[in-house]
């Protein structure tokens, strides 16, 4: 297995991108090149021993010397955004892992981008790529207020391709008007609060072709079933171990307790850090990352939330 990039990077700029949003530019102290990335990718910021958070890269993929992320100061923060805003000032260092991409941009002649709040961050490099490729595109970007909407100055360069909808001025986006009828040869990309994503998902499911919608969630989607979990046998092929996964524990927890080297972060099925190859077994996919086709293929799973539908599961661990 290829070892993922992990290093301490320096904050070379910390700029207020909007009310309660800071844009951090990170670089190696010696100016060395950083691993390449593509639009939709994110990195982990290791903010403490048990405090790891994921943030979308929102800079220029062609700039191999710097990473940029935008971080919202969330009132209900579990500690991540609070630590970023309090501690990561210019000159500070932070451990970075990644990048990894579970929200890749698929080539298309047309795109409809729908962003809510800090969900604009992964859209910035996507929009730049769409513009550079000559694709037809449109962005609808909503936020609580104009002052709270990050990177609007950068977006102004795209003119009327961008529609800004501050809620206190214009209300919510007209999703029925935007998505009520499928547009030909168009992919929909969306990121933002759960309510927005659920609404976009519902409308696309009703009238758009399968595969049209691509979304990224910041928090886990509600479970599709309330059935009680059951125990199953877990075979770790590389480790030569056979473990029992109780109904009240995750695969990740059982592996950690057995001393198996596994990496996790969000533990909610939204970041992809714990993605693991499946050797055999029927997976009950519960993550908010893999699309329907990827889940059907049964090649990979997120061991922090997904389980086994049968009695035994074999993983490449």
């Amino acid at each position: 297995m290829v070892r993922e990039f992990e290093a301490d990077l320096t904050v070379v700029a910390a700029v207020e991108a909007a009310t309660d949003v800071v844009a951090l530019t990170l670089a190696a102290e010696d100016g060395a090149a950083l691993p390449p990335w593509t639009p939709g990718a994110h990195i982990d910021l290791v903010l403490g021993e048990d405090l790891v958070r994921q943030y979308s890269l929102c800079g220029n993929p062609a700039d191999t010397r710097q990473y940029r992320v935008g971080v919202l100061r969330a009132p209900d923060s579990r500690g991540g955004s609070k630590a970023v805003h309090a501690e990561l000032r210019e000159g500070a260092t932070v451990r970075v892992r990644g990048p990894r991409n579970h929200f890749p941009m698929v080539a298309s002649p047309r795109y409809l981008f729908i962003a809510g709040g800090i969900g604009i961050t992964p859209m910035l490099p996507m929009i730049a790529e769409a513009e550079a490729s000559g694709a037809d595109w449109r962005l609808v970007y909503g936020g609580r207020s104009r002052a709270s909407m990050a990177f609007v100055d950068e977006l102004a360069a795209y003119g009327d391709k961008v529609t800004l909808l501050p809620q206190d001025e214009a209300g919510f986006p007209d999703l029925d008007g935007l998505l009520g009828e499928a547009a030909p040869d168009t992919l929909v990309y969306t990121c933002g609060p759960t309510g927005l994503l659920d609404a976009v998902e519902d409308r696309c499911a009703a009238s758009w072709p399968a595969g049209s919608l691509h979304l990224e969630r910041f928090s886990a989607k509600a479970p599709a079933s309330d059935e009680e979990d059951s125990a199953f046998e877990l075979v770790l092929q590389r480790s030569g171990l056979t473990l029992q996964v109780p109904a009240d524990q995750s695969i990740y927890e059982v592996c950690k307790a057995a001393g198996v080297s596994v990496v996790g972060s969000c533990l909610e099925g939204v970041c992809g850090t714990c993605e693991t190859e499946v050797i055999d077994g029927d997976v009950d996919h519960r993550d908010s990352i893999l699309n329907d086709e990827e889940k059907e293929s049964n090649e990979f799973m997120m061991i922090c939330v997904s389980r086994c539908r049968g009695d035994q599961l074999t993983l490449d661990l």
Side-chain angles (χ1 to χ4, degrees):
M1 298 178 66
V2 177
R3 184 172 178 81
E4 186 176 63
F5 171 80
E6 182 171 343
D8 290 329
L9 300 185
T10 300
V11 179
V12 297
V15 180
E16 184 179 12
T19 301
D20 290 330
V21 178
V22 63
L24 301 178
T25 302
L26 309 171
E29 187 175 5
D30 61 1
L34 302 174
W37 59 280
T38 53
H42 67 262
I43 56 174
D44 294 345
L45 297 188
V46 183
L47 303 165
E49 185 175 348
D50 295 311
L51 187 60
V52 182
R53 296 292 182 265
Q54 294 71 43
Y55 298 103
S56 297
L57 289 167
C58 60
N60 179 3
D63 184 352
T64 61
R65 305 288 174 175
Q66 296 182 333
Y67 289 155
R68 186 178 72 161
V69 296
V71 182
L72 170 69
R73 189 202 312 269
D76 56 351
S77 168
R78 293 175 298 159
S81 71
K82 182 178 179 181
V84 168
H85 280 260
E87 301 168 15
L88 295 189
R89 307 181 189 283
E90 188 171 330
T93 61
V94 61
R95 179 144 290 247
V96 172
R97 292 199 299 242
R100 66 183 74 93
N101 196 342
H102 293 286
F103 190 38
M105 188 175 180
V106 178
S108 176
R110 296 181 184 84
Y111 298 95
L112 172 59
F113 299 105
I114 302 174
I118 199 62
I120 189 61
T121 49
M123 303 292 182
L124 295 176
M126 289 185 177
I127 287 168
E129 181 161 309
E131 181 76 3
S133 71
D136 183 17
W137 64 271
R138 178 186 178 191
L139 167 68
V140 177
Y141 175 21
R144 296 188 313 277
S145 66
R146 195 172 296 270
S148 73
M149 298 170 68
F151 305 109
V152 292
D153 291 343
E154 294 181 23
L155 292 168
Y158 296 115
D160 60 7
K161 292 184 178 181
V162 174
T163 300
L164 300 180
L165 296 176
Q167 184 181 334
D168 59 353
E169 299 175 23
F172 294 103
D174 177 13
L175 296 182
D176 289 329
L178 288 169
L179 301 169
E181 184 176 340
D185 301 319
T186 301
L187 296 182
V188 179
Y189 277 79
T190 186
C191 186
T194 299
L196 172 68
L197 301 190
D198 289 347
V200 170
E201 192 171 37
D202 288 345
R203 286 161 176 80
C204 285
S207 55
W208 286 67
S212 298
L213 175 62
H214 300 258
L215 57 80
E216 182 173 55
R217 293 182 180 272
F218 293 141
S219 57
K221 188 177 180 180
S225 171
D226 58 2
E227 291 183 14
E228 290 188 9
D229 293 334
S230 57
F232 58 92
E233 189 173 77
L234 177 66
V235 178
L236 305 183
Q237 184 167 279
R238 282 190 287 115
S239 302
L241 295 175
T242 298
L243 307 172
Q244 295 299 316
V245 180
D248 61 350
Q249 284 189 277
S250 69
I251 295 173
Y252 177 84
E253 290 170 329
V254 168
C255 289
K256 289 285 283 187
V260 178
S261 178
V262 288
V263 179
S265 177
C266 73
L267 304 186
E268 295 180 345
V270 296
C271 77
T273 305
C274 68
E275 184 177 54
T276 302
E277 184 177 352
V278 178
I279 304 298
D280 187 50
D282 187 9
V283 178
D284 178 9
H285 292 283
R286 301 182 181 183
D287 65 90
S288 300
I289 301 170
L290 301 177
N291 60 34
D292 291 341
E293 184 178 339
E294 290 168 330
K295 290 177 180 178
E296 184 69 25
S297 73
N298 215 51
E299 293 180 3
F300 296 93
M301 70 180 296
M302 307 304 157
I303 62 173
C304 67
V305 292
S306 297
R307 301 183 67 81
C308 179
R309 296 186 188 277
D311 297 325
Q312 187 182 81
L313 182 67
T314 303
L315 300 180
D316 183 27
L317 284 172

